[in-house]
Amino acid sequence: MDSTTRQAWLGALLVAASSLVFSTAGLFTRYIDLDAWTMLFWRGLFGGLFIAGFVVWRDGRSALSALRVIGRDGLMVALCSALATVCFINALRLTSVADVLVIGATAPFLTAAIARVSIGERPDQVTLLASLAAALGVVVMVGTALAEGRLLGDLLALGMTGFLSLMMVILRKRRGVNMVPAIGLSAFLCAAIVLPFAKPASAEGMNFVLLVLFGSVQFGLGLILLTLGSRLVSATRTALISVLDTPLAPLWVWLAFGEVPAAATLAGGAIVMVAVLGDMLLPRRHLLLTRGAHR
């Protein structure tokens, strides 16, 4: 196995691990007995602190220099991540979860288009076909629950997808730069955005302990794994593998609370997993960026 193949495998595994971690969000929200805004505030704060600790541990005295090096693109990553969170929160309030999931499943295609135009990265046919299969799997999972006439919520879900796609492309473009400080900044920005609506003082006892884990493990670790992995695989593959959290989320709820998923959820989830595994296992030519990789 040559170095390019090893890097591609490592990147895919890191992004898959981030999806695994992100998929536990439903468990935390079930166990934490607080309003959504307060949960999001502490999640962002503890996530940012966890990432900051990781940066200091890895870079030591160079941590501040690592933050300065992210430049404008790093600030864009932070802003895109924070705005995606805001869009996601409000989309769930204005439309159905099914709509949000289906629109989110289009991320690989939107990412491919942005990457092709902005950095000249062309995804291979294996990834595009796997992305199509994964999107169809999500439709199977939630197709019967699709909402009608909820335009604003659907537009916000599309905005979420667009911001995440742009973030993945920028991370890939600046793969030679340590962007972990940028996603740490995004976590703090998320906390700042929701603070006016949150009640931080209401977090006590076991709720507070769970919030620490929610922010550090589910959010902070997930962002770190995603950022590190996205440097090693194409932006489109990052978006595709990230769809894994959709079928994994109901699996954890099933195991923890005994809520058996519907047959359509199981069938659609199996399609998504097969699509992602197929993309990871099938041979392909390793594509390099044709321009813009280190600007």
Side-chain angles (χ1 to χ4, degrees):
M1 184 183 294
D2 60 32
S3 61
T4 302
T5 303
R6 285 196 299 270
Q7 281 200 342
W9 263 104
L10 177 59
L13 290 174
L14 286 171
V15 177
S18 76
S19 296
L20 176 65
V21 172
F22 283 139
S23 69
T24 62
L27 292 179
F28 283 103
T29 56
R30 289 292 191 94
Y31 282 119
I32 298 173
D33 186 22
L34 292 170
D35 64 278
W37 297 112
T38 301
M39 279 194 289
L40 288 169
F41 168 77
W42 286 114
R43 177 178 180 254
L45 182 60
F46 286 127
L49 291 173
F50 181 86
I51 296 168
F54 174 82
V55 172
V56 172
W57 170 77
R58 190 177 71 169
D59 299 327
R61 296 180 179 179
S62 302
L64 289 178
S65 297
L67 179 60
R68 289 194 294 267
V69 168
I70 65 174
R72 288 180 297 178
D73 283 336
L75 295 178
M76 280 296 298
V77 166
L79 183 61
C80 285
S81 178
L83 290 176
T85 299
V86 174
C87 287
F88 175 69
I89 296 167
N90 288 282
L92 290 177
R93 297 173 62 193
L94 297 172
T95 190
S96 69
V97 174
D99 280 24
V100 174
L101 291 179
V102 169
I103 293 171
T106 66
F109 305 104
L110 185 56
T111 302
I114 296 173
R116 182 69 182 93
V117 172
S118 62
I119 61 176
E121 184 177 73
R122 293 180 293 178
D124 56 74
Q125 291 184 346
V126 171
T127 298
L128 287 177
L129 289 175
S131 299
L132 178 60
L136 291 175
V138 174
V139 171
V140 171
M141 287 183 66
V142 299
T144 58
L146 289 177
E148 296 180 1
R150 299 184 178 181
L151 180 60
L152 180 56
D154 288 352
L155 288 175
L156 287 170
L158 182 60
M160 171 202 72
T161 306
F163 286 126
L164 288 177
S165 297
L166 181 57
M167 181 187 76
M168 293 174 190
V169 171
I170 297 173
L171 288 173
R172 177 62 172 166
K173 170 189 173 185
R174 297 300 303 274
R175 66 192 188 279
V177 177
N178 175 19
M179 282 292 179
V180 175
I183 53 103
L185 186 61
S186 77
F188 286 124
L189 184 56
C190 287
I193 290 173
V194 302
L195 179 58
F197 312 101
K199 300 175 182 177
S202 64
E204 299 176 339
M206 183 53 64
N207 278 332
F208 191 79
V209 174
L210 291 171
L211 286 168
V212 173
L213 294 174
F214 193 21
S216 58
V217 177
Q218 191 275 337
F219 195 41
L221 180 60
L223 285 174
I224 290 173
L225 292 170
L226 176 64
T227 304
L228 296 177
S230 64
R231 301 172 64 182
L232 304 176
V233 295
S234 72
T236 307
R237 289 193 76 194
T238 298
L240 166 63
I241 299 172
S242 296
V243 178
L244 265 180
D245 66 350
T246 300
L248 287 175
L251 175 62
W252 307 139
V253 174
W254 180 14
L255 294 175
F257 300 101
E259 296 181 9
V260 180
T265 301
L266 294 174
I271 294 173
V272 173
M273 290 188 172
V274 168
V276 174
L277 288 175
D279 178 74
M280 294 175 67
L281 296 174
L282 289 175
R284 82 277 305 294
R285 292 177 295 115
H286 296 293
L287 300 179
L288 300 176
L289 296 185
T290 58
R291 58 185 171 86
H294 300 287
R295 290 185 300 186

